[in-house]
Amino acid sequence: MSDDSQVEPPSATGFWHNPLTKTALAASGILAVGLIVGGYLLGDGLTRAREADRSVTVRGLAERDVMADLATWTIAYSSSAGDMATAQASVDRDTAAIQAFFKELGFPDDALQPTGVNVSSFTQDGLTSFTVRQRMTLRTTDIARAQRAVRRQFDLVRRGVLLEEGSGMAYTFTKLNDIKPEMVAAATKDARSSAEQFAKDSATGVGGIKQATQGYFEITGRDGDGGGWGVADTPYKRVRVVTTVDFYLR
């Protein structure tokens, strides 16, 4: 006895309507989209990483001319004699002459202070000589008056005061912290200008700061004096700072 019944093949319509098929297709679609998005993000991240490594290092300079705000003048003088009393009396006369000199110029009494005294003796052929050395220091913020005093320093010599080596006016600029922020900003601006020129020449653009280093502030004589009778004895100063900045390129 034969079985005449026939098994019908699954229809295409049934395949697509099968819940398992729909689930599998949805999962495959999500996976494909995920791979595409992941690949894009990976590629974009690598591009950004390469761009982040693109930078240029430049230096920026800022200079400013300033006037000293503190003047100090150390006056050293001495006298020698065969006895201590005579040497000391001569130094006392010089001290009175120095005090009168600065008072005539309008300095207050407390602007001039004794800062040191030294006594030494020397014996030769049985004769002893005593030397008394003294130092007086003028300290003032009146720069114009201090300059007038320096111009008239030979008046002290005419009064019999022999100024020893090392007697001289020193001018100092003490307000560096007041101008530091503005000067750093100016140096950074100058550095960006250099970076922009570099970027222009290489057909790129300048981004933000990657890293920056502030250089040392340097105070010199405005007119290029190099020290000794240059920097310290002039009230006209030049402040200089150089910054090193790394800029991103885009």
Side-chain angles (χ1 to χ4, degrees):
M1 183 175 180
S2 62
D3 187 357
D4 295 332
S5 62
Q6 297 180 353
V7 178
E8 297 183 359
S11 65
T13 302
F15 175 80
W16 292 108
H17 286 284
N18 190 315
L20 293 177
T21 301
K22 291 182 178 180
T23 301
L25 290 175
S28 298
I30 293 173
L31 178 62
V33 171
L35 290 174
I36 293 172
V37 173
Y40 170 78
L41 293 177
L42 177 62
D44 185 62
L46 292 174
T47 300
R48 290 177 179 273
R50 286 194 297 269
E51 290 179 349
D53 289 336
R54 298 177 60 201
S55 62
V56 60
T57 301
V58 292
R59 286 186 173 88
L61 169 67
E63 292 182 322
R64 179 177 295 191
D65 291 340
V66 298
M67 177 67 80
D69 56 277
L70 175 65
T72 54
W73 188 0
T74 299
I75 300 175
Y77 52 102
S78 65
S79 179
S80 298
D83 61 275
M84 180 72 173
T86 302
Q88 183 63 60
S90 179
V91 166
D92 290 343
R93 286 194 298 271
D94 288 346
T95 300
I98 293 170
Q99 291 172 334
F101 170 76
F102 284 109
K103 188 171 185 178
E104 291 169 9
L105 288 170
F107 289 100
D109 293 339
D110 60 358
L112 186 67
Q113 297 291 334
T115 54
V117 63
N118 175 266
V119 179
S120 61
S121 63
F122 178 74
T123 301
Q124 185 176 14
D125 298 330
L127 297 176
T128 302
S129 175
F130 295 89
T131 299
V132 178
R133 287 186 172 85
Q134 185 158 320
R135 291 188 301 276
M136 301 282 285
T137 298
L138 173 78
R139 182 182 175 89
T140 180
T141 57
D142 191 338
I143 303 301
R145 196 179 300 274
Q147 289 178 285
R148 288 196 295 271
V150 171
R151 288 193 292 267
R152 292 182 53 184
Q153 61 182 308
F154 285 103
D155 287 352
L156 285 173
V157 178
R158 296 187 186 99
R159 299 182 190 197
V161 180
L162 299 181
L163 302 179
E164 292 190 343
E165 185 178 356
S167 300
M169 185 74 79
Y171 296 97
T172 308
F173 179 66
T174 66
K175 298 180 180 180
L176 182 59
N177 286 336
D178 293 345
I179 64 174
K180 268 186 177 181
E182 293 180 1
M183 290 196 66
V184 170
T188 303
K189 183 178 179 180
D190 182 62
R192 178 173 286 277
S193 178
S194 298
E196 288 173 348
Q197 182 61 51
F198 177 88
K200 180 180 178 181
D201 295 340
S202 58
T204 57
V206 178
I209 295 176
K210 179 180 180 181
Q211 180 177 312
T213 303
Q214 175 190 304
Y216 290 105
F217 278 84
E218 182 182 20
I219 302 177
T220 60
R222 182 194 63 185
D223 302 316
D225 297 308
W229 287 92
V231 175
D233 66 348
T234 174
Y236 306 104
K237 309 290 186 182
R238 176 163 294 169
V239 183
R240 185 175 188 267
V241 64
V242 177
T243 59
T244 302
V245 186
D246 293 347
F247 287 99
Y248 286 109
L249 295 178
R250 57 173 184 265

